[in-house]
Amino acid sequence: HAPIVTADKLDFVAKPGQKVSLSGSAKDPDGNKLVEKWWIPAFSCTYKEGIAEGLTVSSETGWNTEFTIPADAKAGDKFVINLEVRDDATRPMTRFAQYVITVS
C-alpha cells in the first residue's frame, strides 16, 4: 500500500521576503520505511512568468522545512512546494502533499 501523507495546512498567504514554515507527516499501512523529500516544481510556480528555477527550501529532507518568498515577488504570484514520500517496499510507492503559497 502507498504511504498516507498528511499536512495540517496546505494553502498559505505571505508577503515578499516572508519566511513560511511547512510541515507534513506520513504513515505507511504496511510499516515500510519512508523517505521524504521537499522540492519545488518550478513549472508550477507563477513567479517570474513560471520560471522559478533556483528556488530552494531550507531543508530537502525531514518533515519540516521553510521557504522564503523572494523579495521581488509580486502580489498574486504563486509558489508550489511538494513533500514527496516514498516507501521502501519491493515495489516502492510514492505519494505527495502539495503546498501553495500565494503572495499578498
Side-chain angles (χ1 to χ4, degrees):
H1 298 93
I4 300 167
V5 182
T6 58
D8 290 337
K9 185 174 180 180
L10 294 172
D11 295 304
F12 297 83
V13 175
K15 295 178 181 179
Q18 184 177 344
K19 188 179 292 186
V20 179
S21 297
L22 307 171
S23 63
S25 62
K27 294 181 181 178
D28 188 84
D30 306 310
N32 294 316
K33 181 180 174 189
L34 299 174
V35 177
E36 68 285 351
K37 177 182 176 183
W38 294 92
W39 57 282
I40 300 171
F43 56 86
S44 295
C45 300
T46 62
Y47 172 67
K48 292 196 175 185
E49 299 179 18
I51 302 173
E53 294 176 19
L55 295 175
T56 60
V57 291
S58 64
S59 177
E60 292 183 359
T61 60
W63 298 108
N64 302 292
T65 195
E66 293 178 329
F67 177 73
T68 302
I69 303 298
D72 64 347
K74 298 188 180 354
D77 280 346
K78 292 192 184 294
F79 295 89
V80 176
I81 300 164
N82 288 336
L83 170 59
E84 176 181 321
V85 181
R86 180 179 44 84
D87 66 19
D88 70 347
T90 303
R91 292 184 183 191
M93 300 186 86
T94 304
R95 293 294 183 266
F96 297 87
Q98 190 168 71
Y99 302 75
V100 177
I101 305 167
T102 303
V103 178
S104 62

